Amino acid sequence: MSEWSVGEPRKLSFDAPVTALHVRIVNGTVNVVGTDESSARLEVSAIEGPPLTVTQKDGALTVAYDDLPWKGFLKWFDPKGWRRSVVVSLAVPASTRVEVGVVGATAVVSGIDAGADVKGVTGDTTLVGLSGPVRATTVSGNVEAQGVAGDLRLNSVSGDLTVIEGTCPSVKADSVSGSIILDLDPSGGPTDARLTNVSGEIAIRLPHPADAEVEANTASGAVSNAFDDLRVTGQWGAKKITGRLGGGTGRLKATTVSGSIALLRRPQSEDEPWDAPRPQKAPAGTDDAPTEQKGL
């Protein structure tokens, strides 16, 4: 086993194979990016408070505070722990399995193929271009997943959960009061999506044409539906949106207690230009007509 104590800005390179990465920090930022290289690199560009411990053993690279365990991570609290901050950047092979835990810090994970597990308390999490199983859990921080191709599991208390251009075979998102926004990319296959909220809103944008069996309901919130093939039932209190789109291969189930539910339709081609605004006629009695604005 190799071990380093990092108490000031420093760069480290690891020639031994890295198959798993574990990061646990308080305050600051952690950036993890997958590369096609076989080696791993670490840069600590800023650090305040106690040193980080970096260890490498049996293919596992760990960058963490000694007093911050992964087990029970979301319940960790130490008044002295808030007097620390660190900015960490890591480049690891894309085949590395990644675990990241942040308390009050921002986490960005991109380009990982072997899956990732991210836990956050108050910091925001961004996941980009990941495949393999992905899970993100947060208390009050926001989670945004873009271009994720593996099975996706998101959980929050009050943080917002957003999925952009998802091609995930399955999505499961649960929140108490944060909003859930799901945007499915038409290039992906049928998706099994199950979304649950209490008081937060749920908005889903489906490809057009879509292929899903739909069941969405709210106990007291408003609903909106952009698909003619779906039925909206209930006028006061509980409301439902049900029906089949296309062959019904995929499945969409969304439930909220008091939040609203919106089903939106993605345009067939987002490359089509926007309709240009028509030039306005000059009011009677004026000499000059308004000039038509050119698109940007």
Side-chain angles (χ1 to χ4, degrees):
M1 182 180 75
S2 301
E3 182 173 321
W4 300 263
S5 179
V6 180
E8 59 185 16
R10 185 177 180 182
K11 296 181 180 180
L12 293 172
S13 297
F14 309 92
D15 295 328
V18 174
T19 58
L21 173 66
H22 310 282
V23 181
R24 300 186 300 276
I25 69 169
V26 179
N27 298 331
T29 303
V30 55
N31 292 289
V32 179
V33 60
T35 71
D36 56 4
E37 300 177 8
S38 59
S39 60
R41 302 186 305 277
L42 163 70
E43 179 179 0
V44 177
S45 54
I47 185 168
E48 297 179 7
L52 282 173
T53 298
V54 180
T55 59
Q56 186 178 28
K57 179 182 179 182
D58 299 331
L61 177 61
T62 302
V63 181
Y65 291 110
D66 292 334
D67 60 348
L68 185 59
W70 180 257
K71 186 176 181 180
F73 179 85
L74 297 178
K75 297 180 180 179
W76 181 86
F77 179 77
D78 181 358
K80 297 180 181 179
W82 297 97
R83 302 172 187 172
R84 63 180 84 178
S85 178
V86 63
V87 178
V88 177
S89 298
L90 287 136
V92 296
S95 58
T96 303
R97 172 69 187 177
V98 173
E99 288 183 350
V100 175
V102 289
V103 179
T106 299
V108 180
V109 182
S110 62
I112 297 296
D113 297 334
D117 189 351
V118 181
K119 295 181 180 179
V121 178
T122 57
D124 292 342
T125 298
T126 302
L127 311 170
V128 181
L130 305 183
S131 56
V134 177
R135 178 165 188 173
T137 305
T138 180
V139 178
S140 60
N142 301 323
V143 177
E144 180 177 311
Q146 182 172 359
V148 173
D151 292 336
L152 181 61
R153 302 291 181 268
L154 303 177
N155 301 87
S156 82
V157 177
S158 59
D160 296 336
L161 306 176
T162 304
V163 180
I164 301 173
E165 297 179 348
T167 58
C168 325
S170 69
V171 179
K172 185 176 181 180
D174 300 281
S175 183
V176 177
S177 60
S179 64
I180 299 177
I181 300 173
L182 174 62
D183 171 40
L184 295 179
D185 193 313
S187 64
T191 297
D192 184 351
R194 301 173 186 267
L195 316 177
T196 304
N197 215 330
V198 178
S199 60
E201 67 175 3
I202 296 177
I204 304 135
R205 190 166 80 151
L206 298 174
H208 179 67
D211 183 5
E213 193 77 29
V214 177
E215 179 184 346
N217 60 81
T218 176
S220 59
V223 298
S224 59
N225 168 44
F227 296 89
D228 294 334
D229 294 337
L230 299 180
R231 300 181 303 275
V232 178
T233 57
Q235 294 182 348
W236 305 101
K239 302 178 184 67
K240 284 187 176 183
I241 305 173
T242 56
R244 175 178 294 181
L245 298 173
T249 307
R251 180 169 177 81
L252 169 61
K253 185 173 183 179
T255 303
T256 179
V257 178
S258 59
S260 62
I261 295 180
L263 294 185
L264 310 174
R265 182 171 57 190
R266 175 191 280 265
Q268 285 183 307
S269 175
E270 297 214 325
D271 295 330
E272 294 178 0
W274 293 97
D275 291 334
R278 296 181 180 179
Q280 300 177 356
K281 293 183 179 180
T286 60
D287 295 331
D288 298 324
T291 303
E292 180 182 357
Q293 295 182 348
K294 297 183 180 296
L296 296 178

